[in-house]
Amino acid sequence: MCGIIGVATKNKQAISILLEGLEHLQYRGYDSAGIAFIHNNGIQIIKSQGQIEALKQKVDLTINSNLGIGHTRWATHGRATTNNAHPHQCGKITIVHNGIIENYLTLKEELQQKGCVFQSDTDTEVACALLDDYYAQYQDMKQTIRQFMKAIQGSYAIAAICMDEPNTIYAIKKDSPLLIGTSSNQNFIASDIQAILMHTNHYYLLDDLEFAIITADSTLFYNQDGIEIMKEEKEASLSANSASKACYEHYMLKEIYEQPTTLKATIETVTKLLKTNTSLLSRLASYKRIDIVACGTAMHAGLVGKYLLETYAHIPVSVELASEYRYKQNFLDPQVLVIIVSQSGETADSLAALKMVKEKHIPTLGIVNVVDSCIARSVDYVIYTQAGPEIAVASTKAYTAQVICLSLLAFSIAKQKNLLAETQIEMIEKDFEQLPELISALLANRDDYKQIATNLYSHSDIFYLGRGLDYALMQEGSLKLKEISYIHSECYPAGELKHGTISLITEKTPVIASATNSILDDKTISNLKETAARGAPIYLITNNVSLSNDPSITKYILLPSTTDFVLPILVSIPLQLIAYETALVKGCSIDKPRNLAKSVTVE
Ligand code: M6R
């Protein structure tokens, strides 16, 4: 979490570059923000509690500055106060930091014994004091950073300024993302290329235990021994406005409406990849088991993948939360494929699980949205989803891109193993082709979801029910609602409710369900009737027209009839819109829900 930016420029516009960059990094955390810049031969720091807007109110944009660093925070150590906001300054050193210093308490005690007095509750201030302590000894920043890397345990992407070198920014990295952007007369550091895209799309990626020295006209890279290293320059294909809100009220709404395009792009890219890379497909088809490892929404995409891979490709799949998987006994061998699913490609638990698996020499595949992210670079093979930048904290288009990617894998493996009849293959291929149109048709009915939202928004508990694939999909629907509308919701397998939880069902607990499997539909409907008998209003998503005559259902959302390979996407669209419209009626902060951040880079 946390976003960091830095700029060394000859055009004197450092402050506006920092503020503009921070706006693009807010998805990484938004409880406080701050900047430090060189002014009148000194370092001036301005910080504020709350989002970047609050910081902007405090900044005089007419001030000229050639160099600065900035930060937007997701609090880990210490509350979200102005005092705990970054940058932190100790002696001659000022820093911003993304990550967690695990041994900060020990270091803090040692520094306190030397007379250091701390102003904040943060681990970052300890890191800053340690840098200052080493700098006082060595009077040399390269040597200081090398010692610092040896002493620190934990994760860090740090931008540091030393009072003695007002034209230089030092960038240090381990386990948190950091890149160095380059253009003529100015160079940058940033957590993410989006923060600097309006200035350059040329960049270098810093690897773990490397550091960089940046001025307006030079970028130099070093390993932990202080030896200069050469790095490959990269070029981002994103444009500055690919992450804009366009005419939409929220990023989330824009991202929901982008799905016909993002899914078309993902289907085309992944189909082409699996068709042309036949050795990859044969390998994928040969594994005796697959472990899908992910967090949150990405894990929910894995649940859909499990259903499709087991049902159609006949491979047993275990779906695991990365935060649990990394610490448990996993019975791995080279016949097991581990698939890591991640939008950001930098989620700490997913990355740690991946490292653990790699140490055991187990084959890995990444399904990742952000190009060149840590996970994308660490897996044996990566398939990129084509969702484009996802800014809203609540994942929508990245989730459906992950789902369609897993669906295409299941389809391709099933075909490779001759498990599908020719007629089935034709139907499935037609479904993939028609999917963008089918989604557009669903998206055209926004008013239906507005209506449902007006019925839901005042409730404090909502239940999501389904069986089989529908249960997997409802888990994501339930998370979406909780995340942005702050309404408590629970997702249950429809048949499990009567084993205890039905005691919570009353006329005050609406039920949202999907029934899209002809074999299970009758059973699901019986379970829904059990809730209707206790007064619960029922909202049902189904592709089974015959269910639409049932008087116990309050409202139907009827889907077209398709194969299982695209059905999960069609069920997801109404769930996304129900969550969005409900949060909208409640007046919630939809793109930046409280307590959350887009990239979860802490354990
Ligand atoms: O970037 P990742 O896909 O690895 O993120 C995993 C989760 O943090 C993420 O899916 C989270 O649950 C979503 N923001 C929820 O909408």
Side-chain angles (χ1 to χ4, degrees), residues 258-484:
E258 278 174 343
Q259 289 174 107
T261 313
T262 53
L263 286 164
K264 186 169 188 281
T266 305
I267 291 169
E268 282 171 3
T269 311
V270 178
T271 304
K272 190 168 160 208
L273 176 81
L274 293 173
K275 264 195 187 143
T276 48
N277 197 335
T278 47
S279 67
L280 171 70
L281 186 56
S282 319
R283 234 177 312 139
L284 292 175
S286 72
Y287 291 107
K288 69 169 192 211
R289 194 185 91 213
I290 294 176
D291 285 0
I292 299 180
V293 183
C295 301
T297 290
M299 189 279 286
H300 292 156
L303 294 174
V304 179
K306 172 184 165 74
Y307 175 87
L308 295 171
L309 283 159
E310 288 185 339
T311 310
Y312 295 99
H314 297 184
I315 304 178
V317 177
S318 167
V319 181
E320 309 269 358
L321 285 166
S323 54
E324 295 291 319
Y325 190 77
R326 57 185 288 198
Y327 294 116
K328 73 187 235 325
Q329 175 62 266
N330 289 306
F331 305 103
L332 291 166
D333 67 56
Q335 285 302 298
V336 177
L337 172 70
V338 173
I339 301 183
I340 308 282
V341 185
S342 176
Q343 187 285 127
S344 62
E346 59 170 281
T347 301
D349 283 317
S350 304
L351 191 57
L354 172 61
K355 279 189 182 159
M356 180 271 284
V357 165
K358 282 189 63 138
E359 274 162 20
K360 297 184 170 153
H361 307 290
I362 305 302
T364 56
L365 169 74
I367 296 180
V368 181
N369 195 42
V370 176
V371 175
D372 273 338
S373 53
C374 298
I375 292 174
R377 285 186 292 141
S378 309
V379 283
D380 297 327
Y381 206 89
V382 62
I383 299 182
Y384 283 117
T385 48
Q386 305 293 319
E390 191 181 63
I391 309 296
V393 165
S395 183
T396 53
K397 62 173 182 168
Y399 166 72
T400 51
Q402 291 160 351
V403 167
I404 211 68
C405 193
L406 286 160
S407 170
L408 286 160
L409 274 183
F411 173 56
S412 306
I413 296 173
K415 254 196 328 183
Q416 168 91 3
K417 289 178 154 181
N418 289 322
L419 296 170
L420 295 169
E422 258 324 300
T423 47
Q424 267 181 304
I425 294 177
E426 274 171 30
M427 274 168 66
I428 297 164
E429 282 176 345
K430 196 163 155 233
D431 271 358
F432 280 126
E433 211 175 295
Q434 287 183 343
L435 182 62
E437 265 172 60
L438 298 176
I439 303 168
S440 299
L442 281 173
L443 291 171
N445 297 331
R446 197 176 152 196
D447 285 348
D448 286 358
Y449 308 103
K450 284 188 176 163
Q451 184 54 48
I452 295 174
T454 55
N455 297 340
L456 295 181
Y457 82 99
S458 58
H459 289 273
S460 31
D461 304 284
I462 295 180
F463 280 77
Y464 282 75
L465 303 180
R467 284 172 178 258
L469 180 57
D470 289 310
Y471 173 49
L473 295 165
M474 288 297 119
Q475 291 183 60
E476 174 57 12
S478 170
L479 174 65
K480 217 79 311 174
L481 184 85
K482 281 187 273 237
E483 197 176 13
I484 58 168

Side-chain angles (χ1 to χ4, degrees), residues 30-51:
Y30 35 81
D31 58 41
S32 55
I35 55 173
F37 51 91
I38 301 293
H39 182 54
N40 284 344
N41 301 322
I43 295 176
Q44 189 169 338
I45 296 178
I46 304 175
K47 311 203 267 193
S48 173
Q49 198 174 337
Q51 300 187 10

Side-chain angles (χ1 to χ4, degrees), residues 465-467 492-499 502 505 511 513 520-534 536 538 553:
L465 303 180
R467 284 172 178 258
Y492 255 76
E496 181 62 18
L497 202 67
K498 58 183 155 310
H499 295 288
I502 201 164
I505 300 291
V511 167
L520 296 173
D521 284 354
D522 287 348
K523 314 237 175 253
T524 304
I525 293 297
S526 299
N527 300 136
L528 294 180
K529 281 179 186 295
E530 290 156 11
T531 64
R534 279 137 189 104
I538 296 171
I553 308 297

